[in-house]
Amino acid sequence: AQKITQTQPGMFVQEKEAVTLDCTYDTSDQSYGLFWYKQPSSGEMIFLIYQGSYDEQNATEGRYSLNFQKARKSANLVISASQLGDSAMYFCAMRVSIYNQGGKLIFGQGTELSVKP
Amino acid sequence: DAMVIQNPRYQVTQFGKPVTLSCSQTLNHNVMYWYQQKSSQAPKLLFHYYDKDFNNEADTPDNFQSRRPNTSFCFLDIRSPGLGDAAMYLCATSELAGVTETQYFGPGTRLLVL
């Protein structure tokens, strides 16, 4: 069965420093997609970055990068130059196909990131 | 800007009183999802529509129903809310695209059951 594990319930980082949020996954599929979402206290889930299982390069989107290690089944999110506005809950997720009619996201339990001034 | 809109943002209902949450999208995506997120938990899929085809998760209670009258709108009906149904309800949309399919979420509706 597909599963996402985030082992860090909470993290602190100093403003302007980099931080890595851990994510490991389990799947028997050869082709899969991994996602990171940010959820501020307002509740909206904001898409940050995507990594495909066949992508040879690690994904990057501005200050966000994904450290993808396929053999280890890990997809860690790296946020460079942290800002106060980065304080939020971060979810790692994997897409599971549903009969070619869409795909549900399986989420990890999340990591609460707090950026200190 | 293309977006996913949810109304209302906050909904208070009474135990057992039916309630409807709405979601609309301007992205023209063919898939719409409803997730339930209880406090301090990860979101969990309730059901989704691919065009007009409805797909229910096996463990979604019968108390939850959904309607999608057209591409832009999708509704979540809770027929007899219980205290355990208090949660954030998130609507998401996507364009069917295999493993690269990215879901875009609305701001959510926080439901409180008294």
Side-chain angles (χ1 to χ4, degrees):
Chain A
Q2 287 92 343
K3 186 179 179 182
I4 296 285
T5 303
Q6 294 179 253
T7 57
Q8 305 154 313
M11 291 275 289
F12 286 93
V13 65
Q14 202 70 36
E15 192 179 8
K16 300 181 184 177
E17 290 185 351
V19 63
T20 298
L21 307 184
D22 295 341
C23 172
T24 58
Y25 60 92
D26 191 15
T27 181
S28 56
D29 292 344
Q30 294 300 308
S31 181
Y32 49 88
L34 297 162
F35 302 82
W36 277 92
Y37 285 86
K38 172 185 177 182
Q39 187 176 41
S41 57
S42 59
E44 182 177 4
M45 296 285 282
I46 302 167
F47 166 68
L48 294 178
I49 196 166
Y50 161 82
Q51 178 80 46
S53 58
Y54 287 113
D55 294 339
E56 294 186 354
Q57 303 280 342
N58 285 339
T60 61
E61 288 286 348
R63 292 187 300 112
Y64 305 107
S65 61
L66 204 152
N67 184 0
F68 181 49
Q69 298 188 40
K70 195 170 180 177
R72 289 186 163 190
K73 292 191 173 180
S74 73
N76 299 337
L77 177 71
V78 180
I79 306 175
S80 63
S82 297
Q83 302 172 356
L84 296 178
D86 294 334
S87 294
M89 182 71 86
Y90 289 80
F91 287 98
C92 180
M94 178 165 56
R95 180 188 181 275
V96 176
S97 184
I98 307 176
Y99 310 123
N100 293 321
Q101 291 207 334
K104 70 179 178 183
L105 291 174
I106 305 292
F107 290 89
Q109 285 305 107
T111 296
E112 179 94 47
L113 178 67
S114 297
V115 181
K116 298 190 289 185
Chain B
D1 284 342
M3 55 191 349
V4 182
I5 302 160
Q6 290 188 245
N7 286 306
R9 296 292 307 277
Y10 299 89
Q11 177 73 58
V12 181
T13 191
Q14 292 179 335
F15 183 93
K17 185 175 181 181
V19 66
T20 295
L21 310 181
S22 73
C23 176
S24 63
Q25 55 137 339
T26 61
L27 297 160
N28 205 33
H29 284 166
N30 52 19
V31 192
M32 293 187 78
Y33 301 85
W34 280 104
Y35 288 84
Q36 179 192 60
Q37 185 181 23
K38 295 189 176 180
S39 182
S40 301
Q41 295 185 20
K44 182 177 176 300
L45 184 67
L46 293 173
F47 28 58
H48 78 283
Y49 276 93
Y50 169 55
D51 286 334
K52 291 188 179 296
D53 293 336
F54 177 71
N55 295 272
N56 198 35
E57 288 294 290
D59 56 355
T60 297
D62 292 340
N63 199 24
F64 291 85
Q65 306 285 322
S66 185
R67 297 169 282 135
R68 189 179 185 187
N70 54 51
T71 300
S72 301
F73 285 87
C74 195
F75 300 97
L76 169 61
D77 301 308
I78 309 176
R79 293 192 296 188
S80 181
L83 298 179
D85 297 327
M88 171 74 92
Y89 290 88
L90 294 162
C91 174
T93 74
S94 70
E95 191 66 18
L96 191 65
V99 294
T100 63
E101 176 192 336
T102 299
Q103 295 185 21
Y104 296 93
F105 286 79
T109 295
R110 289 188 192 272
L111 179 68
L112 179 63
V113 182
L114 301 178

